[in-house]
């Protein structure tokens, strides 16, 4: 059950000293945000909605980007603009150039939609609309924020443990008017044991978070039986995937396929590792916070 809490209480109890934090951020003129905060146990959830701003980055388009509507393209450019501005004071990405953000982050996020759609339609359901998706370790919102823009029928949860990154995610979701996004501040190990979230998502995605053995324990407890876990990886993940097969099986899943996708950028081929959740995850998983990364299965 989601329990609404006041913004004032949320700030004092959960996000710590916002006033001090905002003093060090770049000057940005966002619209007034309509933030709603919820708690479930120790988990903090935020939703934001606001009109789309008229300011946007001028990054060039890429092949997958060009398939978006003009409104979606505008939202992506606003996202890039905010990412680069906030990145001046926060460590959100090592990429400093807007065209490289488009190629390396946006395009890379969009490439996984097609193989995920094909796998889902074949193995999980007859419709690819209105899915519940969680982006584990969302960071700056990649790929989850981009997926929420490209697939407006999805309900996308951005799971991120760091307060400062959650502040950015709340800001940008409101700035570009995303109403199908919620930001959850917690660790994957905690959320996977939270009955409000455990085995509740159609798809879990993760990009640049951890190796596959660890990701399996982070992500698969959140996926419903019959759903998918998708890891966005580089061009040669075979050894990493082989090491993760035991962990994937322990989580109640099986390796469905490895999809090689061309990102149409100088970074070349990327890989989407797709796993099917065959049965429930044993209740002891995920293990306590920090354990999966220190003692991979």
């Amino acid at each position: 059950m989601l329990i609404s809490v006041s913004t004032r209480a949320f700030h004092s109890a959960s996000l710590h000293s916002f006033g001090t934090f905002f003093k060090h951020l770049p000057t940005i003129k966002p619209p007034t945000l309509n933030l709603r905060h919820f708690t479930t146990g120790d988990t903090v959830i935020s939703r934001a909605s606001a009109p789309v701003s008229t300011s946007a980055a001028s990054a060039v388009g890429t092949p997958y980007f060009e398939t978006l509507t003009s409104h979606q393209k505008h939202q992506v450019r606003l996202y890039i603009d905010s990412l680069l501005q906030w990145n001046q004071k926060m460590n959100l990405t090592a990429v400093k150039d807007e065209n490289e953000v488009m190629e390396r982050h946006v395009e890379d996020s969009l490439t996984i939609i097609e193989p995920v759609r094909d796998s889902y339609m074949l193995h999980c359901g007859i419709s690819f609309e209105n899915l519940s998706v969680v982006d584990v370790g969302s960071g700056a919102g990649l790929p989850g924020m981009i997926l929420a823009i490209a697939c407006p029928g999805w309900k996308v949860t951005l799971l991120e443990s760091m307060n400062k990154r959650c502040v950015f995610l709340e800001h940008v979701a409101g700035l570009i008017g995303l109403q199908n996004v919620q930001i959850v501040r917690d660790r994957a190990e905690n959320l996977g044991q939270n009955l409000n979230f455990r085995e509740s998502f159609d798809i879990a995605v993760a990009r640049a978070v951890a190796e596959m053995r660890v990701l399996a324990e982070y992500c698969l407890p959140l996926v419903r039986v019959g759903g998918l876990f998708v890891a966005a990886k580089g061009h040669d993940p075979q050894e990493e995937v082989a090491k993760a097969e035991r962990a994937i099986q322990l989580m109640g899943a099986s390796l469905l396929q490895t999809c090689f996708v061309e990102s149409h950028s100088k970074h070349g081929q990327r890989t989407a590792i797709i796993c099917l959740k065959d049965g429930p995850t044993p209740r002891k998983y995920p293990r306590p916070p920090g354990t999966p990364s220190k003692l991979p299965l």
Side-chain angles (χ1 to χ4, degrees):
M1 179 178 181
L2 298 181
I3 306 171
S4 178
V5 298
S6 70
T7 302
R8 180 178 179 183
F10 175 80
H11 285 182
S12 63
S14 304
L15 286 186
H16 314 295
S17 189
F18 264 26
T20 301
F21 173 62
F22 277 116
K23 290 178 182 178
H24 302 286
L25 293 179
T27 301
I28 301 173
K29 297 180 179 179
T32 301
L33 299 184
N34 178 22
L35 296 181
R36 292 175 291 157
H37 303 292
F38 304 87
T39 62
T40 169
D42 294 325
T43 299
V44 178
I45 308 171
S46 304
R47 295 186 178 92
S49 61
V52 176
S53 167
T54 57
S55 173
S58 58
V60 299
T62 49
Y64 286 99
F65 174 80
E66 293 302 330
T67 67
L68 303 179
T69 67
S70 59
H71 178 65
Q72 289 169 327
K73 290 176 182 178
H74 183 56
Q75 289 179 309
V76 169
R77 290 187 174 112
L78 285 171
Y79 168 80
I80 294 173
D81 187 52
S82 294
L83 176 64
L84 292 174
Q85 288 187 59
W86 284 58
N87 201 53
Q88 294 174 22
K89 296 295 182 179
M90 292 174 56
N91 183 25
L92 292 170
T93 175
V95 179
K96 310 294 184 183
D97 177 76
E98 59 192 39
N99 290 329
E100 191 173 359
V101 171
M102 179 68 79
E103 291 182 342
R104 187 169 181 174
H105 290 322
V106 174
E107 186 76 355
D108 196 47
S109 297
L110 292 172
T111 59
I112 71 173
I113 295 177
E114 185 175 353
V116 172
R117 179 195 62 209
D118 293 345
S119 294
Y120 192 89
M121 295 289 287
L122 184 61
H123 298 279
C124 306
I126 59 175
S127 175
F128 196 58
E129 303 294 328
N130 305 315
L131 299 183
S132 176
V133 179
V134 59
D135 177 16
V136 176
S138 190
L142 299 161
M145 192 75 74
I146 303 302
L147 296 180
I149 292 172
C151 305
W154 291 5
K155 294 180 180 179
V156 180
T157 296
L158 307 179
L159 174 59
E160 171 56 46
S161 63
M162 292 186 63
N163 286 347
K164 293 182 179 181
R165 290 175 182 171
C166 288
V167 174
F168 168 74
L169 294 174
E170 290 176 4
H171 161 77
V172 78
L175 177 69
I176 65 182
L178 282 180
Q179 306 213 17
N180 61 330
V181 163
Q182 71 172 359
I183 294 97
V184 176
R185 181 177 62 80
D186 207 337
R187 295 182 63 115
E189 300 98 321
N190 293 329
L191 212 69
Q193 292 291 354
N194 187 322
L195 296 181
N196 291 299
F197 296 94
R198 184 179 177 87
E199 298 191 327
S200 66
F201 294 95
D202 297 306
I203 300 174
V205 298
R207 177 181 180 267
V209 175
E211 65 165 297
M212 280 294 297
R213 289 183 297 171
V214 178
L215 282 182
E217 190 168 357
Y218 284 167
C219 296
L220 280 164
L222 294 168
V223 179
R224 68 168 176 85
V225 175
L228 297 180
F229 158 47
V230 182
K233 289 290 182 179
H235 71 282
D236 187 23
Q238 284 84 354
E239 182 178 351
E240 182 180 338
V241 172
K243 290 181 179 179
E245 286 186 8
R246 177 175 177 271
I248 292 169
Q249 292 172 359
L250 286 173
M251 296 302 113
S254 57
L255 181 63
L256 190 59
Q257 62 184 120
T258 299
C259 300
F260 299 100
V261 294
E262 178 58 56
S263 67
H264 302 284
S265 77
K266 62 184 179 182
H267 303 284
Q269 181 179 282
R270 303 289 291 168
T271 309
I273 312 300
I274 304 178
C275 300
L276 178 66
K277 184 76 172 283
D278 302 304
T281 299
R283 199 70 183 88
K284 64 181 178 179
Y285 299 116
R287 291 169 293 169
T291 306
S293 59
K294 292 177 181 177
L295 298 170
L297 294 170

